[in-house]
Amino acid sequence: MEIFEKRLTELADRAKTRCYTTFSDFLNLEEESVFHALHFNIDCCLFGGYDGAERCIAAFGYEISKDAFPIAIVTAEPVSPKFADTLTHRDFLGSLMGLGIKREVLGDIVITDNVGYILCLNSIAEYIVQNLNKVKHTSVKCSVIDKLPETAVKKPEEKHITAASERLDVIVSAVYNFSRSAVKELFNERKIYVNSRLCENFSHIPKENDIISVRGYGRFIYYGPLGSTRKNRLILSVGIYK
């Protein structure tokens, strides 16, 4: 991560000395956590093409606008929807990797009604349009669109869980039906993030609307307590991102 930290610092310094906005490639959760931990001498922020995006670009500069981020949206839809495979995130990502595209130029891949919306750097969008013609065994047609359809990004599915407390390890255990020892191992493996910041504190109490990500399993938003059961266990509300 030392090289990555140096790269971010260089982007911040360049933005400050040359008075223009600089951008990173798309960052994963671990890199976003490093970004949050560093202190820069200029304004900076993260954005991934839509509110709530998991993979984001870091921007450094003054008066940073979301419209200025070098993000394109490529839609990939089956040529014959009736005969198409059921396409998953892994299917789309695998096909893109098969074209020699590096992961850091790709953001989130949002799938709705078997159509993939691929967020990527502007510089790679046309290459994807021209070369991505098959996902799994399904022929697809691609084009660049201005923005994600409102129906593309699904709202998290609300779920009520019961737990002994609002500790983060207890909540993660209840959401994913993990044993406490399994959750402890996830913490030890540095796989749990709160608002894209690495969290290593088992007893951390999340705030309402915090987004908790568990690498390899998904993410959810914590809405807060609703009440308690007759046995004095807490009833908590969360929203699961599907």
Side-chain angles (χ1 to χ4, degrees):
M1 279 296 166
E2 185 176 343
I3 294 175
F4 174 70
E5 291 179 15
K6 184 178 179 181
R7 172 61 176 159
L8 291 183
T9 302
E10 288 175 347
L11 288 172
D13 290 344
R14 189 189 309 162
K16 184 175 180 63
T17 57
R18 301 184 185 181
C19 298
Y20 64 78
T21 305
T22 59
F23 301 95
S24 70
D25 291 335
F26 282 97
L27 311 183
N28 59 32
L29 273 174
E30 185 178 3
E31 291 166 338
E32 289 176 26
S33 184
V34 171
F35 168 86
H36 287 303
L38 296 174
H39 299 284
F40 303 104
N41 56 3
I42 194 171
D43 292 344
C44 56
C45 65
L46 295 174
F47 183 59
Y50 66 97
D51 293 336
E54 185 168 355
R55 292 177 62 83
C56 294
I57 288 174
F60 305 88
Y62 302 101
E63 299 182 358
I64 303 169
S65 167
K66 289 182 178 179
D67 293 335
F69 279 74
I71 299 174
I73 304 171
V74 175
T75 177
E77 55 182 310
V79 173
S80 301
K82 183 178 180 180
F83 302 103
D85 298 307
T86 299
L87 303 177
T88 66
H89 181 278
R90 179 176 291 183
D91 295 329
F92 281 101
L93 184 58
S95 295
L96 290 164
M97 298 292 99
L99 295 176
I101 297 173
K102 295 182 179 179
R103 188 67 179 100
E104 57 263 31
V105 304
L106 300 173
D108 287 2
I109 301 173
V110 180
I111 303 170
T112 301
D113 296 329
N114 221 29
V115 176
Y117 297 91
I118 304 161
L119 289 98
C120 63
L121 294 184
N122 287 335
S123 58
I124 200 70
E126 194 58 38
Y127 179 82
I128 294 174
V129 170
Q130 293 178 2
N131 292 277
L132 182 64
N133 49 43
K134 182 168 288 189
V135 176
K136 204 172 181 180
H137 304 295
T138 299
S139 295
V140 298
K141 54 184 177 181
C142 297
S143 60
V144 176
I145 60 175
D146 292 332
K147 62 179 181 178
L148 282 173
E150 291 184 5
T151 56
V153 182
K154 295 182 175 65
K155 294 182 179 180
E157 183 179 304
E158 187 171 6
K159 177 181 179 180
H160 297 166
I161 59 174
T162 58
S165 75
E166 290 185 83
R167 283 172 45 133
L168 185 56
D169 59 343
V170 175
I171 294 173
V172 171
S173 176
V175 168
Y176 294 108
N177 294 317
F178 292 154
S179 66
R180 294 289 290 277
S181 60
V183 174
K184 182 178 180 179
E185 187 62 25
L186 289 171
F187 274 98
N188 291 338
E189 293 175 353
R190 299 164 64 89
K191 289 186 175 181
I192 295 182
Y193 295 78
V194 178
N195 297 327
S196 73
R197 293 173 170 86
L198 178 67
C199 183
E200 299 180 272
N201 180 6
F202 296 7
S203 59
H204 174 77
I205 306 296
K207 298 176 182 177
E208 291 185 15
N209 296 318
D210 276 354
I211 296 177
I212 291 90
S213 301
V214 183
R215 286 180 60 185
Y217 296 94
R219 58 182 181 147
F220 62 92
I221 184 169
Y222 179 63
Y223 294 132
L226 297 175
S228 57
T229 68
R230 293 180 180 179
K231 295 184 178 181
N232 291 322
R233 288 176 61 82
L234 293 175
I235 303 173
L236 307 175
S237 176
V238 299
I240 311 294
Y241 287 93
K242 296 294 187 179

